[in-house]
Amino acid sequence: MPESFDVIIIGSGQAGNPLATAFAQEGRRVALIEKNLLGGSCINYGCVPTKTLLASAERAHHAYTDAQYGIEVELEDIDLPTIVERKDALLEKLRQGIHENLTDQENPVQLFDGHASFTAPHTLNVTLNTGGTETLTAPLIFINTGTRAAIPEIDGLADTDFLTPTTILNLKDKPEHLIIIGGGYIGLEFSQLYRRLGCEVTIVEESAVVLEREDDDVCEAMQQLLEGEGVQFLLGSQAHRVSQNAEKQFTVSVTTPDGERRLRGSHVLVAVGREPNTKELGLDKAGVETDDRGFVLVDDQFHTNVRGIYALGDVHGGPQFTHISYDDYRIVRDNILKGKKRSKKGRDVPYVVFTEPQLGRIGLSEHEAQEQKLDYRVASMPVKTIGRAQQTGLTKGFIKVLVDGKTDCILGTAVFCEQGGEIMSMLQLAMHGNITCEMLQDMIFAHPTWAEALNNLFSKLENPKKK
């Protein structure tokens, strides 16, 4: 007989874990099914491990460049195994914390280590990792299975030992030459990381620019930053064949605007996007609809087309960020447990590219404002004019902000700057509070801080240039 629960959550991600705890604290009987590791993508192969590795690369870079500050540091070698071990220790600590949070409470969540698949709309078969199966049923089921690295159809790629953004996190042999296929924010973060660890790095990107969804000035500044550190780019280029010889060396054949190129490297990282973990869920047996890419279709409150079945986090498509998944949880929690009426419609989507300097983004880009034919003004200020930047020597980048032409409220910003994510968050608060650019320009900020830049930024507002 099936084991009955009030709630079943498939996947231990940033929406699933807090939702399981919230239901359990309300006295519901909750089952949480996880095929791999507790914590989902953010903790195991996303934000936490990548930013932990980036922190080590940042330290190495500072050691290489400290002479300009009058400090001579001799860096003999990069100990990549120790860097990876530090990352692994943090992940294990976080996973243990999640396990304790789910199970060490008055009404513990029941964990199932295994793979879940639907056999009917509200019935799941769980193939346990330890062997055997369980059949579970519940009136409320939440799909929180996330995504995995998309693998493009490139001739010969499948026959090689290529890396994904997940497998590269465990790499303990420093690449001599890392070839990255994909110039999105994941590829860019890894390019700076491994370049700063002393590796040769080449990025192959199909579009004519990196970060193709950003404004041209942002794309150009990011490319110039990384090129200045030694990262090589092949833009408007397509990798069409990958091979690996007996010595494990790679050859990547690339069609470029200037003709055919053959790149030779020690490692290849494929970072061209993500695809949903839905193929083996048996969604057809539950009647749950997906789009042509396999993402679960949901409404603005994350209902699927089947009553009582929801999809949360990256698995339903849209912006794939931890903070968005967590907001999915809050919306569902409030609607079901607190009797509120909330939806995802119109919510902010802030994000940060964790290069150094960071790129913090919120709201409209200038390109989007032009497409919507909005009345706006724009201000752009180079970071090198900020006092704090001059004192620290962190002078690369710029801050750009769009302001509504009628209300003087902020429409969007791109902060490519040291502490870019934090400054962007300040502007996000101003957007929510309808604080005008004049109010920010006249506000008293402590000196000398990065925030002080907001006093001067808005004095540069002007009408957009005609194109």
Side-chain angles (χ1 to χ4, degrees):
M1 294 292 293
E3 187 172 1
S4 296
F5 290 86
D6 298 314
V7 178
I8 297 174
I9 299 171
I10 312 171
S12 170
Q14 296 305 303
N17 291 333
L19 188 62
T21 300
F23 275 117
Q25 290 174 345
E26 291 293 321
R28 309 285 184 98
R29 188 164 188 250
V30 181
L32 177 61
I33 306 165
E34 176 53 58
K35 180 180 179 180
N36 295 311
L37 298 168
L38 288 176
S41 61
C42 177
I43 286 178
N44 294 297
Y45 50 85
C47 315
V48 176
T50 56
K51 280 48 177 180
T52 303
L53 296 179
L54 280 165
S56 293
E58 183 177 325
R59 296 290 184 93
H61 179 70
H62 289 176
Y64 285 128
T65 57
D66 274 345
Q68 61 183 304
Y69 294 89
I71 302 171
E72 294 289 344
V73 176
E74 189 171 333
L75 187 62
E76 295 183 357
D77 195 17
I78 299 291
D79 186 354
L80 189 54
T82 298
I83 291 172
V84 174
E85 287 168 8
R86 173 179 176 269
K87 177 263 298 181
D88 290 342
L90 175 59
L91 302 193
E92 181 59 30
K93 179 181 179 181
L94 293 174
R95 285 193 290 263
Q96 288 178 358
I98 292 171
H99 188 279
E100 293 172 1
N101 188 56
L102 291 169
T103 58
D104 291 356
Q105 53 183 313
E106 184 176 346
N107 184 31
V109 174
Q110 189 166 339
L111 301 179
F112 290 85
D113 297 326
H115 171 70
S117 61
F118 285 92
T119 58
H122 290 276
T123 305
L124 292 163
N125 185 71
V126 183
T127 303
L128 300 174
N129 294 337
T130 55
T133 61
E134 296 276 358
T135 301
L136 313 181
T137 184
L140 288 177
I141 297 179
F142 299 88
I143 303 168
N144 183 223
T145 52
T147 60
R148 60 180 178 272
I151 308 302
E153 294 183 2
I154 299 175
D155 186 26
L157 179 65
D159 299 323
T160 67
D161 300 322
F162 68 91
L163 298 165
T164 69
T166 299
T167 59
I168 196 172
L169 297 172
N170 299 318
L171 187 66
K172 294 185 178 181
D173 296 323
K174 191 170 70 173
E176 180 181 342
H177 180 193
L178 177 63
I179 301 170
I180 301 176
I181 301 176
Y185 75 90
I186 294 176
L188 297 181
E189 287 182 356
F190 277 115
S191 76
Q192 189 179 58
L193 192 166
Y194 281 96
R195 181 60 191 150
R196 288 184 166 189
L197 294 181
C199 309
E200 183 180 354
V201 178
T202 301
I203 290 179
V204 179
E205 167 58 38
E206 289 189 11
S207 69
V209 295
V210 299
L211 298 173
E212 60 179 335
R213 295 182 182 178
E214 303 295 341
D215 287 333
D216 289 346
D217 50 1
V218 175
C219 300
E220 291 169 6
M222 179 65 76
Q223 183 179 343
Q224 289 173 5
L225 166 76
L226 295 174
E227 284 181 332
E229 294 191 12
V231 176
Q232 303 174 61
F233 288 87
L234 290 179
L235 301 178
S237 302
Q238 186 170 12
H240 62 83
R241 178 168 176 75
V242 178
S243 61
Q244 192 175 21
N245 63 20
E247 287 74 39
K248 298 297 184 179
Q249 295 296 303
F250 284 85
T251 300
V252 180
S253 300
V254 183
T255 301
T256 79
D258 299 320
E260 190 73 7
R261 287 278 303 274
R262 285 191 175 184
L263 304 178
R264 289 179 172 80
S266 58
H267 298 74
V268 169
L269 168 63
V270 176
V272 296
R274 313 285 297 176
E275 60 183 30
N277 290 319
T278 55
K279 289 182 179 179
E280 298 176 351
L281 282 178
L283 296 179
D284 56 330
K285 295 180 180 179
V288 174
E289 295 178 351
T290 63
D291 66 13
D292 57 0
R293 297 175 60 196
F295 288 101
V296 180
L297 296 173
V298 296
D299 64 14
D300 288 342
Q301 294 181 318
F302 311 107
H303 303 97
T304 69
N305 62 300
V306 179
R307 184 177 178 85
I309 300 180
Y310 298 71
L312 308 177
D314 297 351
V315 75
H316 64 62
Q320 296 183 18
F321 301 112
T322 293
H323 44 283
I324 298 300
S325 295
Y326 188 75
D327 192 53
D328 288 1
Y329 143 69
R330 290 186 298 205
I331 290 171
V332 169
R333 175 204 62 192
D334 289 354
N335 289 340
I336 296 177
L337 296 178
K338 298 187 178 183
K340 297 182 179 181
K341 292 184 178 180
R342 293 187 58 197
S343 81
K344 66 175 181 174
K345 190 174 183 179
R347 66 179 172 182
D348 286 340
V349 184
Y351 57 93
V352 181
V353 181
F354 282 90
T355 50
E356 188 190 19
Q358 300 169 1
L359 170 61
R361 281 279 288 111
I362 181 68
L364 296 178
S365 67
E366 188 168 7
H367 177 70
E368 289 169 333
Q370 291 169 351
E371 281 189 334
Q372 297 179 28
K373 298 181 179 180
L374 298 179
D375 176 16
Y376 72 93
R377 292 184 293 161
V378 60
S380 184
M381 183 175 74
V383 171
K384 64 184 179 182
T385 64
I386 301 172
R388 186 62 178 161
Q390 296 167 3
Q391 296 147 20
T392 60
L394 303 173
T395 58
K396 294 179 181 178
F398 66 97
I399 304 176
K400 177 180 179 180
V401 64
L402 275 65
V403 172
D404 188 283
K406 297 178 181 178
T407 66
D408 280 346
C409 289
I410 298 168
L411 296 173
T413 185
V415 186
F416 187 42
C417 172
E418 173 67 17
Q419 301 299 321
E422 310 302 329
I423 299 172
M424 175 273 290
S425 297
M426 294 180 62
L427 292 168
Q428 181 183 3
L429 289 171
M431 291 170 67
H432 268 273
N434 293 319
I435 298 175
T436 67
C437 59
E438 183 178 359
M439 294 167 68
L440 286 169
Q441 190 173 356
D442 293 339
M443 195 172 291
I444 300 174
F445 294 102
H447 173 78
T449 62
W450 290 100
E452 198 177 21
L454 302 183
N455 285 151
N456 299 321
L457 172 63
F458 297 100
S459 66
K460 303 181 183 301
L461 280 171
E462 58 184 20
N463 292 323
K465 296 178 181 178
K466 294 182 179 181
K467 296 184 178 180

